[in-house]
């Protein structure tokens, strides 16, 4: 641990494992979405162009994934709804040939009996459904979607598992905790358990719009005024719940670098993680930042393994061995940081916003 929080920038005290091989691949099937959730970064992305990952692109991806000796996980998560892609069945069928567990993240809207049967027959390994609203209907985040309809989609999946005598996919629910929905978190978990959800993730929000900046439940140097853990332990829940960290003055560990991650956008660009896939503003503890995208290549031009081995990507990953990024949460006046509000680099000279990454603090978590 740091001996002095305020002057930790003077030494590199943090260490973490850095994978030398690709073990985890995120694939964005679509940037289209049927919803317009208040918390979504899609409203803030610069020059955002909705697109689907096309068949020729997937056919190019598949042999690249099949050649990865350590591939242990394929996650279908991006900045849109994966099932919006009209070719998603084709894509998932091809991905199944890569012999790695497939994790799908969805808002559940497009799940029908036919789609449920397809997902179970493959099968995919995990299906994470996103839901943040009070089941009673107060404080809508996901406009136009009722809790009854959402529970109905879960029922279709459970019925399909029964028909196929399968225990896969594991059904999870991801919830984004906000100041305005804390009152509903116990009810959301109860609602999910009754519907048949088997595991929960409670993440914090990273505000991508100014009207969300006061919704955060995490803090630095002080105890958060609302403890999600205490709130949820008041009720007896029967399913595992993974709760995000609320204390920002902790050491860092990038889960994407540790697992050897690449993020493939719907246009084929290769980023090291979801946060660096698109340029967008972010309100960091109330202070506005600009998070620029970081690409190391595009698979329509260069094979994935070759992109992974480029000197630029290798040098970027190597920085995490000694965490050569400032810990911006420990900055006493983040709103006065000239480097992050005016300059394009942080105070260590990095152009990426990794010094203020909330994933590395386990404050924001995803499947």
């Amino acid at each position: 641990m740091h001996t002095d929080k305020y002057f930790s920038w003077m030494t590199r005290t943090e260490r973490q494992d850095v994978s030398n091989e690709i073990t985890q691949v995120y694939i964005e099937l679509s940037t289209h979405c049927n919803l317009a959730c208040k918390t979504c970064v899609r409203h803030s992305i610069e020059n955002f162009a909705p697109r689907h990952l096309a068949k020729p692109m997937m056919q190019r991806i598949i042999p690249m994934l099949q050649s990865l000796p350590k591939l242990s996980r394929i996650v279908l998560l991006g900045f849109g709804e994966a099932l919006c892609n009209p070719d998603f069945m084709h894509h998932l069928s091809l991905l199944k040939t890569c012999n790695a567990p497939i994790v799908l993240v969805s808002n559940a809207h497009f799940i029908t009996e036919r789609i449920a049967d397809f997902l179970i027959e493959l099968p995919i390994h995990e299906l994470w459904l996103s839901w943040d609203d009070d089941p009673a209907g107060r404080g809508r985040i996901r406009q136009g979607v009722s809790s009854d309809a959402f529970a109905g989609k879960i029922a279709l999946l459970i019925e399909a598992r029964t028909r196929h005598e399968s225990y896969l996919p594991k059904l999870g629910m991801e919830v984004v905790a906000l100041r305005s929905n804390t009152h509903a978190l116990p009810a959301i978990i109860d609602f999910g358990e009754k519907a048949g959800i088997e595991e929960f993730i409670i993440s914090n929000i990273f505000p991508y719009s100014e009207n969300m900046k006061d919704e955060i439940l995490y803090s630095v140097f002080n105890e958060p005024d609302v403890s999600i853990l205490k709130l949820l332990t008041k009720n007896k829940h029967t399913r595992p719940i993974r709760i995000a960290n609320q204390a920002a003055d902790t050491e860092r560990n990038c889960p994407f670098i540790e697992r050897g991650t690449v993020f493939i956008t719907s246009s084929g660009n290769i980023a090291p993680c979801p946060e660096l896939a698109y340029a967008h503003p972010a309100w960091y503890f109330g202070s506005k930042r600009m998070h620029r995208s970081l690409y190391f290549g595009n698979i329509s031009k260069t094979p994935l393994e070759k992109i992974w081995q480029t000197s630029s990507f290798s040098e970027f990953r190597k920085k995490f061995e000694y965490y050569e990024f400032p810990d911006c949460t420990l900055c006493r006046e983040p709103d006065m940081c000239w480097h992050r509000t005016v300059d394009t680099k942080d105070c260590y000279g990095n152009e990426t916003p990794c010094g203020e990454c909330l994933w590395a603090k386990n404050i924001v978590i995803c499947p």
Side-chain angles (χ1 to χ4, degrees), residues 140-157:
R140 305 301 295 173
I141 296 168
R142 300 175 180 273
Q143 300 289 338
V145 183
S146 72
S147 57
D148 287 343
F150 185 80
K153 303 299 183 180
I154 298 171
L156 287 175
L157 291 161

Side-chain angles (χ1 to χ4, degrees), residues 235-247:
N235 294 12
K236 186 177 181 180
H237 299 293
T238 60
R239 300 297 187 179
I241 306 174
R242 181 183 168 196
I243 300 174
N245 178 31
Q246 289 183 263

Side-chain angles (χ1 to χ4, degrees), residues 296 302 305-315 317:
F296 292 102
T302 310
E305 188 68 24
K306 191 171 182 180
I307 294 173
W308 176 261
Q309 293 170 352
T310 58
S311 59
S312 56
F313 203 169
S314 298
E315 288 167 9
R317 296 193 303 273

Side-chain angles (χ1 to χ4, degrees), residues 48-324:
F48 191 60
R51 63 170 61 83
H52 300 306
L53 190 141
K55 283 185 176 181
M57 182 73 76
M58 183 59 78
Q59 288 163 351
R60 183 168 172 78
I61 290 172
I62 294 302
M64 297 182 192
L65 300 187
Q66 291 173 335
S67 68
L68 297 174
K70 299 290 186 177
L71 181 63
S72 61
R73 198 167 183 254
I74 299 170
V75 184
L76 303 178
L77 175 151
F79 294 83
E81 168 54 41
L83 301 188
C84 276
N85 190 316
D87 300 317
F88 82 89
M89 287 187 176
H90 169 269
H91 293 334
L92 265 67
S93 296
L94 288 181
L95 287 168
K96 193 61 186 175
T97 67
C98 298
N99 297 317
I102 298 174
V103 178
L104 173 63
V105 181
S106 172
N107 63 34
H109 181 81
F110 293 107
I111 293 174
T112 61
E113 183 176 316
R114 175 172 171 262
I115 290 174
D117 280 328
F118 170 76
L119 296 176
I120 275 70
E121 285 174 345
L122 271 175
I124 62 169
H125 192 72
E126 299 176 27
L127 175 55
W128 287 88
L129 306 176
S130 51
W131 182 263
D132 314 310
D133 282 321
D134 185 341
R138 295 174 292 172
R140 305 301 295 173
I141 296 168
R142 300 175 180 273
Q143 300 289 338
V145 183
S146 72
S147 57
D148 287 343
F150 185 80
K153 303 299 183 180
I154 298 171
L156 287 175
L157 291 161
I158 293 172
E159 289 164 6
R161 286 200 318 193
T162 302
R163 280 196 300 276
H164 294 277
E165 299 181 341
S166 175
Y167 62 91
L168 292 176
K170 178 175 72 176
L171 299 178
M173 179 187 285
E174 182 171 23
V175 183
V176 177
L178 312 170
R179 190 167 294 278
S180 59
N181 75 352
T182 50
H183 70 281
L185 289 179
I188 292 172
I189 301 299
D190 289 342
F191 160 67
E193 286 185 336
K194 289 175 183 175
I197 293 296
E198 295 159 331
E199 188 173 340
F200 296 85
I201 289 176
I202 310 294
S203 177
N204 285 290
I205 185 176
F206 202 146
Y208 297 116
S209 60
E210 189 170 11
N211 63 352
M212 289 283 112
K213 69 183 178 65
D214 295 325
E215 289 277 12
I216 66 173
L217 294 170
Y218 44 93
S219 61
V220 59
F221 305 138
N222 300 304
E223 288 291 324
D225 20 346
V226 177
S227 168
I228 300 173
L229 179 61
K230 290 180 180 178
L231 189 66
L232 292 179
T233 51
K234 289 180 181 179
N235 294 12
K236 186 177 181 180
H237 299 293
T238 60
R239 300 297 187 179
I241 306 174
R242 181 183 168 196
I243 300 174
N245 178 31
Q246 289 183 263
D249 47 323
T250 57
E251 291 193 348
R252 298 167 292 176
N253 191 84
C254 176
F256 303 107
I257 293 295
E258 182 178 43
R259 298 190 69 167
T261 304
V262 292
F263 183 98
I264 306 175
T265 72
S266 57
S267 58
N269 289 319
I270 301 298
C273 66
E275 181 63 14
L276 297 178
Y278 294 97
H280 58 80
W283 271 258
Y284 188 69
F285 289 89
S287 301
K288 187 178 181 181
R289 304 289 203 242
M290 192 65 208
H291 288 189
R292 295 292 175 189
S293 57
L294 178 64
Y295 301 141
F296 292 102
N298 188 292
I299 56 169
S300 64
K301 300 176 182 178
T302 310
L304 180 59
E305 188 68 24
K306 191 171 182 180
I307 294 173
W308 176 261
Q309 293 170 352
T310 58
S311 59
S312 56
F313 203 169
S314 298
E315 288 167 9
F316 173 76
R317 296 193 303 273
K318 191 174 179 61
K319 285 187 174 184
F320 288 84
E321 292 180 357
Y322 286 86
Y323 237 100
E324 297 177 31

